[in-house]
Amino acid sequence: MNSASTHAYDHARTTPRALATEAVHAGRDDLARQGLHAPPIDLSTTYPSYDSRGEAARIDAFAGDGAQPEGPPIYGRLGNPTVARFETALARLEGTESAVAFASGMAALSAVLLVRASMGLRHVVAVRPLYGCSDHLLTAGLLGTEVTWVDPAGVADALRPDTGLVLVESPANPTLAEIDLRALAHACGSVPLLADNTFATPVLQRPVEQGARLVLHSATKYLGGHGDVMAGVVACDEEFAGRLRQVRFATGGVLHPLAGYLLLRGLSTLPVRVRAASATAAELVRRLAADPRVARVHYPRIGGAMIAFEVHGDPHDVIAAVRLITPAVSLGSVDTLIQHPASISHRIVEEADRRGAGVSDRLLRMSVGLEDIEDLWADLDGALGDRFAGTPGERITAEAAAR
């Protein structure tokens, strides 16, 4: 990067810009002055160097604090220029100093747990519900961690000298329950709060502005946005990012450069996609809440494109009957997806814990895409059919009623 492009890049990093502008330009600010429009994809796994002494010094520096090595790249596990562009862009969108990308959301969460465990802080305080595999990772102690499950009000009392992390997801998967992140961050004291922001994305909330130190995304979902890339990312301060890079280097949970390119491309349309899908979701919530075949609708005050609803009849019949909507796990794609959490995403959670967290056997989770509202409603209406007619129950949760 020459001096002129460096100046333009630094100016962009320090000058406040609207989220929609950041989504388009962050991670790309140096391109025009290099005569480029699309970001290059660097597929190299290793990089030539005739200065082995200099390489040794840079590797030693990385071993010390995990900072990104100055100068040309060294090896793919230490970092990749294309992936670094995505990390820069995501950090700008979340309002953090840095971001570190991984091969999946679970790899990203595992790295956070390993960082804290390496410091002797193996205890985690967590609030249910979480994504099912996050719940399982903690409950099973697969990384040597110990978890205490609490309600948000019980976080402060659950903290111990060896507590390394407080973990929450808001809106939560799959019930869309919301947590007051600001109050929770206060209750955490000096213990880092990790907020899973996968459902909301930085378009709807930026947890660091409410006191969270770490923000987790399954980038497979809304950040990629097209169902064709798997990744995870943690947005955080540079000190924690350095430790995450060291864990990524040691464990190998690196993101492929092509995935980094697709994610950077996905970010450019993130605000447009989230807002369009959210508008459709809000109208579907209104119709579902008035439908006697639906017992209850869950929708967060913050809005968004995720809906959960409980039916009077067998939810598996709905899954089998949709035609336009895709019956599949995952979320955040341009097409609408529906799944039965108790059978799929949260099957790995013990039944009592699952139900205690509000994940009933009649609950369906729907990720609303970019299709026309009338086409989606026609498909849902047909899938519900006449089998689900019943006495209207609690039509909508308080979160949705406040919309």
Side-chain angles (χ1 to χ4, degrees), residues 15-299:
T15 303
R17 303 189 294 199
L19 181 82
T21 304
E22 289 288 13
V24 173
H25 290 280
R28 305 171 178 85
D29 293 299
D30 62 313
L31 293 179
R33 293 188 178 273
Q34 296 186 59
L36 300 172
H37 187 233
I41 305 174
D42 187 333
L43 296 173
S44 299
T45 57
T46 191
Y47 299 85
S49 173
Y50 294 95
D51 181 10
S52 56
R53 291 186 180 88
E55 295 292 84
R58 292 202 294 155
I59 291 173
D60 286 347
F62 177 84
D65 59 13
Q68 295 186 29
E70 294 291 335
I74 299 173
Y75 184 58
R77 213 158 16 94
L78 276 162
N80 172 273
T82 306
V83 172
R85 289 183 179 276
F86 163 66
E87 293 172 330
T88 295
L90 193 278
R92 292 285 290 176
L93 291 179
E94 283 290 4
T96 59
E97 291 180 330
S98 302
V100 183
F102 294 85
S104 70
M106 290 308 300
L109 175 58
S110 296
V112 173
L113 295 174
L114 288 172
V115 165
R116 301 305 280 167
S118 70
M119 303 169 69
L121 303 171
R122 297 182 176 275
H123 180 240
V124 178
V125 176
V127 178
R128 281 191 172 114
L130 294 174
Y131 168 54
C133 287
S134 299
D135 189 309
H136 176 68
L137 179 66
L138 295 173
T139 302
L142 297 177
L143 297 178
T145 55
E146 177 188 351
V147 62
T148 299
W149 295 101
V150 297
D151 293 327
V155 166
D157 291 338
L159 300 179
R160 307 187 326 206
D162 64 338
T163 303
L165 194 70
V166 175
L167 175 58
V168 298
E169 184 175 3
S170 181
N173 187 353
T175 66
L176 304 175
E178 293 176 279
I179 293 173
D180 184 338
L181 293 177
R182 192 177 303 278
L184 192 63
H186 179 75
C188 291
S190 62
V191 177
L193 171 63
L194 170 61
D196 188 328
N197 203 33
T198 298
F199 277 21
T201 80
V203 177
L204 300 179
Q205 72 177 5
R206 304 212 296 184
V208 294
E209 295 176 350
Q210 301 176 57
R213 183 178 175 189
L214 310 168
V215 182
L216 174 70
H217 285 273
S218 172
T220 307
K221 314 306 194 295
Y222 285 104
L223 302 189
H226 293 75
D228 56 7
V229 61
M230 185 168 287
V233 64
V234 179
C236 56
D237 57 71
E238 174 56 26
E239 179 185 357
F240 204 96
R243 293 183 176 274
L244 287 172
R245 292 186 198 105
Q246 290 174 325
V247 168
R248 183 177 63 182
F249 175 72
T251 60
V254 295
L255 184 66
H256 192 274
L258 182 57
Y261 172 85
L262 291 172
L263 288 166
L264 185 63
R265 187 177 69 170
L267 288 184
S268 64
T269 60
L270 177 66
V272 176
R273 287 187 286 105
V274 169
R275 288 166 182 154
S278 297
T280 301
E283 174 59 19
L284 287 175
V285 164
R286 187 188 69 79
R287 298 185 188 190
L288 288 168
D291 197 307
R293 298 168 296 182
V294 177
R296 189 179 187 188
V297 181
H298 305 258
Y299 191 62

Side-chain angles (χ1 to χ4, degrees), residues 2-27:
N2 60 37
S3 59
S5 60
T6 299
H7 173 75
Y9 184 62
D10 289 342
H11 177 73
R13 285 179 22 176
T14 57
T15 303
R17 303 189 294 199
L19 181 82
T21 304
E22 289 288 13
V24 173
H25 290 280

